[in-house]
Amino acid sequence: MNPSRTSRVPLAALALALAVLAAGCGDAGGLRGAGPTATAISPARLWPELPAASSPAWYYGEAETETVKGVTAPGDDIHKVDPVAVVRAEIATHPDVYTADNSPYTGTAAGMAACGRKGRSGTGRTGGSGTGACPVLRAYYRDLTGDGRDDMALGFRLLPGNGTAVRVYTFQRHRLVQIMANDDAVTAVELAGRAVIIRSPSQIPGYEYRTQWTWDADQKAMLLTRDEFLRTGKPKRTHAPRASSSASTSSAASSSVSSSASAR
């Protein structure tokens, strides 16, 4: 037997075993490339020669607060505040919106007469579902200002239309203060942490508007901190039904009658 040949075999086997072990370790914890990374592009400022604006072009209602007149609670406990009384106080404060001639929400003022009656929406302090005669919705409570005390999120329907008023109230120096107000057509309202999120329908199928209101300690109000136009899913396709021959005949006959009536 050739001694050189016999010495190469174990060495080759040992090298193969080490290679297998090394490959196994690499699969278990080695780093792998994630593919090419997109090049970062810095923001490009457009029209730098334009003069800076000194005032906003539109009013967004920042830092809009209002003291609720005539509504108090023992120990500034907002859970003891009557939501119906709060809405009635707003109606009394803004007659141009609710009770005056040609005001847009006369239906809301008229519907308040039903609040608090037995068997109707709006029973007592808890408000109602807003689906019956009373336009006041159920009140929700959460610490939205970060002071360790609950605040009240309240809604009521803006009648005779399909809008919803969303309000947030807190006590400041023993006074009930409205710290947020928004009127819109509403799909949903959510409380996320210390923010109020309002979702509103869009005329474009598959999209919605979403605004977020967040407490600002300097302004002592909830400010509009995010305004988005978001995709919610694929729009549902609707197929127009095909008219039958009898329906087409009836339609043609109706058109003939309408034409004759118009001619007379």
Side-chain angles (χ1 to χ4, degrees):
M1 182 179 291
N2 190 341
S4 59
R5 183 180 177 87
T6 56
S7 61
R8 284 196 203 100
V9 173
L11 289 176
L14 179 60
L16 179 60
L18 291 176
V20 171
L21 290 175
C25 293
D27 290 340
L31 298 178
R32 294 182 179 181
T37 303
T39 304
I41 302 175
S42 60
R45 183 180 178 183
L46 305 184
W47 308 299
E49 69 277 6
L50 285 178
S54 59
S55 61
W58 294 280
Y59 177 65
Y60 289 97
E62 297 96 336
E64 195 173 78
T65 62
E66 183 176 277
T67 300
V68 181
K69 298 179 181 179
V71 179
T72 59
D76 294 348
D77 184 358
I78 205 160
H79 291 268
K80 298 179 180 179
V81 171
D82 184 355
V84 173
V86 173
V87 177
R88 284 179 174 147
E90 177 171 332
I91 292 174
T93 304
H94 301 281
D96 57 322
V97 179
Y98 298 101
T99 56
D101 293 339
N102 300 322
S103 56
Y105 306 131
T106 54
T108 298
M112 295 301 295
C115 297
R117 297 180 183 177
K118 292 183 179 181
R120 301 284 187 91
S121 298
T123 54
R125 294 189 302 104
T126 58
S129 63
T131 57
C134 178
V136 182
L137 304 174
R138 174 186 175 186
Y140 289 87
Y141 303 90
R142 178 176 292 190
D143 180 11
L144 296 171
T145 61
D147 62 356
R149 299 170 61 93
D150 277 347
D151 307 297
M152 179 172 67
L154 179 62
F156 56 93
R157 293 180 295 149
L158 298 173
L159 305 173
N162 64 343
T164 302
V166 180
R167 307 286 188 262
V168 175
Y169 300 90
T170 189
F171 274 101
Q172 296 177 354
R173 298 180 179 179
H174 308 296
R175 298 182 303 173
L176 184 65
V177 179
Q178 179 192 100
I179 57 174
M180 179 216 148
N182 183 79
D183 299 337
D184 204 347
V186 170
T187 303
V189 181
E190 303 168 351
L191 298 180
R194 292 176 180 168
V196 178
I197 299 173
I198 301 176
R199 298 165 56 186
S200 302
S202 166
Q203 292 183 346
I204 301 178
Y207 290 83
E208 71 176 7
Y209 295 99
R210 194 175 302 176
T211 57
Q212 177 174 310
W213 302 76
T214 310
W215 170 254
D216 187 283
D218 293 331
Q219 300 299 324
K220 303 296 182 183
M222 299 193 74
L223 305 184
L224 177 61
T225 54
R226 182 173 295 180
D227 191 351
E228 300 175 296
F229 184 65
L230 301 175
R231 183 178 179 88
T232 58
K234 293 182 179 180
K236 296 181 179 179
R237 296 182 178 180
T238 57
H239 299 281
R242 294 181 178 179
S244 62
S245 57
S246 58
S248 300
T249 304
S250 301
S251 178
S254 300
S255 300
S256 177
V257 172
S258 299
S259 300
S260 301
S262 301
R264 288 196 298 269

